[in-house]
Amino acid sequence: MGTVVKYDNIFQYNESRGVETLHPLVSVIDFSKCGPARFERQVYGFYTIFLKEVKCGDLRYGRNYYDYQEGTLVFMAPGQVVEVEVKDKPQVPPKGRALLFHPDLLRGTSLGRNIAGYTFFSYEVNEALHLSEQERQVVMDCLQNIQSELKHAIDKHSRTLIVSNIELLLNYSTRFYERQFITRNNVNRDVLAGFERLLGDYFAGDRPERDGVPSVRWCAEQLHLSANYFGDLVKKETGKSAQEYIQLKVIDIAKERIFDPGRSISEIAYSLGFRYPQHFTRLFKKVVGCSPNEYRTAN
């Protein structure tokens, strides 16, 4: 596997790529002006956004390989391990940009308080953002604004303006991801159909009694998606969170089983993966508006 090279701060990364450090907490890198990278496993102590502009090798991240296409954005949060491999020699010179910013830059800002809301920092690389030419230009403009600010003498406005431009880039990325969810509608429908089948198969057997109600994370893993991407996709397509979707599936199955007079409400609860029947009764009442026993009597 090889050792993991850790870059704790912006200066260390800049130095490894032969780039001047203009600000200790943020950097915009133009890879066409850097030498060839050493392809190795790396972990960063800062947020990283890569804009790749040519196919230049495989990026291995988590369990997946991702073959970069032109105009692709990949987001990484601090602590994630990334591995870059180039199989063909000679090495293809890199082309593209990167924005690096340290969590310390965001301390006390609205972006610092809201950074967890940008869930795409926890997507897998194969769930990267594919940009149109117009979108790519918007990203380039944001990077250019940040770079201009870095070249400006640091004053009391520097941090505010830099963080504002990073926030602007992230807000545009949120919009572009929503567009991607829409334009990949067929793929999304396939995921939802797979989700529905997965839940149907799960509750058809005895797994719920053994393992409980399936979690969103488990479902995402079975569908080869990150939990965040899966959750955002389900929300976009159905208007419900993945957790709510699972709960509604549980209630649908529960309604069928309640019609069997030979099964007690407790037995039904256990068969659906609830360790405590009262938790099932509470959820049923919250969703349906009456208790399981009242539902059984009414029907």
Side-chain angles (χ1 to χ4, degrees):
M1 291 290 284
T3 56
V4 177
V5 177
K6 194 163 189 291
Y7 295 104
D8 292 312
N9 57 57
I10 304 289
F11 176 78
Q12 286 174 338
Y13 187 87
N14 284 349
E15 193 176 42
S16 76
R17 302 312 305 269
V19 173
E20 184 188 357
T21 299
L22 300 173
H23 191 293
L25 299 178
V26 61
S27 183
V28 176
I29 291 177
D30 180 350
F31 288 118
S32 66
K33 294 175 181 170
C34 301
R38 284 166 51 216
F39 292 95
E40 58 196 9
R41 300 176 78 224
Q42 301 169 349
V43 61
Y44 310 125
F46 38 81
Y47 292 94
T48 319
I49 303 173
F50 288 113
L51 170 64
K52 288 295 182 181
E53 297 184 296
V54 291
K55 252 182 90 174
C56 56
D58 292 341
L59 189 76
R60 185 159 186 245
Y61 172 82
R63 297 179 304 280
N64 296 300
Y65 278 96
Y66 180 73
D67 219 7
Y68 274 134
Q69 303 302 312
E70 216 168 311
T72 300
L73 272 187
V74 177
F75 301 81
M76 281 180 273
Q80 294 169 325
V81 177
V82 64
E83 182 175 358
V84 184
E85 297 178 7
V86 168
K87 295 169 186 160
D88 301 323
K89 305 295 181 191
Q91 289 182 356
V92 179
K95 190 182 171 203
R97 300 279 201 289
L99 170 64
L100 323 173
F101 58 98
H102 199 278
D104 287 352
L105 182 76
L106 311 182
R107 305 269 182 239
T109 67
S110 68
L111 180 56
R113 289 189 291 278
N114 299 320
I115 191 75
Y118 297 99
T119 48
F120 41 76
F121 276 108
S122 300
Y123 289 177
E124 295 279 1
V125 161
N126 65 330
E127 299 156 350
L129 178 56
H130 305 284
L131 301 171
S132 69
E133 186 51 45
Q134 191 179 0
E135 291 168 347
R136 183 187 160 282
Q137 193 51 56
V138 170
V139 171
M140 291 297 287
D141 289 345
C142 289
L143 294 177
Q144 190 56 53
N145 288 345
I146 296 166
Q147 182 72 337
S148 299
E149 199 49 49
L150 289 175
K151 288 180 175 173
H152 191 282
I154 293 179
D155 60 25
K156 64 180 183 179
H157 304 290
S158 301
R159 184 162 172 257
T160 305
L161 289 167
I162 290 167
V163 171
S164 294
N165 276 288
I166 293 173
E167 194 164 16
L168 183 63
L169 173 57
L170 297 181
N171 287 337
Y172 272 119
S173 300
T174 301
R175 169 188 275 180
F176 299 156
Y177 256 118
E178 288 190 1
R179 184 270 310 152
Q180 183 161 299
F181 281 131
I182 293 164
T183 54
R184 288 167 59 87
N185 206 264
N186 290 339
V187 176
N188 298 351
R189 277 203 294 269
D190 288 348
V191 170
L192 280 182
F195 186 25
E196 191 64 38
R197 275 195 308 275
L198 182 70
L199 292 176
D201 292 347
Y202 188 91
F203 286 107
D206 60 358
R207 281 202 66 171
E209 289 184 65
R210 197 171 67 244
D211 300 330
V213 178
S215 68
V216 172
R217 183 168 296 280
W218 181 84
C219 292
E221 283 172 359
Q222 304 314 301
L223 297 166
H224 309 293
L225 297 168
S226 67
N228 274 348
Y229 187 89
F230 174 62
D232 290 347
L233 185 153
V234 172
K235 183 81 174 174
K236 191 76 197 155
E237 286 293 307
T238 68
K240 298 178 181 67
S241 71
Q243 185 68 45
E244 289 170 325
Y245 196 98
I246 293 168
Q247 289 176 346
L248 289 173
K249 182 71 175 176
V250 168
I251 296 303
D252 277 347
I253 297 167
K255 284 176 177 176
E256 287 174 30
R257 294 182 184 179
I258 283 169
F259 281 116
D260 179 356
R263 301 176 85 168
S264 71
I265 299 301
S266 289
E267 284 171 341
I268 293 166
Y270 293 133
S271 77
L272 290 168
F274 290 87
R275 287 181 63 193
Y276 305 105
Q278 60 267 36
H279 289 175
F280 165 64
T281 299
R282 198 177 306 137
L283 175 66
F284 192 95
K285 193 163 187 176
K286 179 182 150 196
V287 174
V288 182
C290 62
S291 72
N293 271 320
E294 287 164 346
Y295 184 83
R296 174 176 269 174
T297 305
N299 290 279

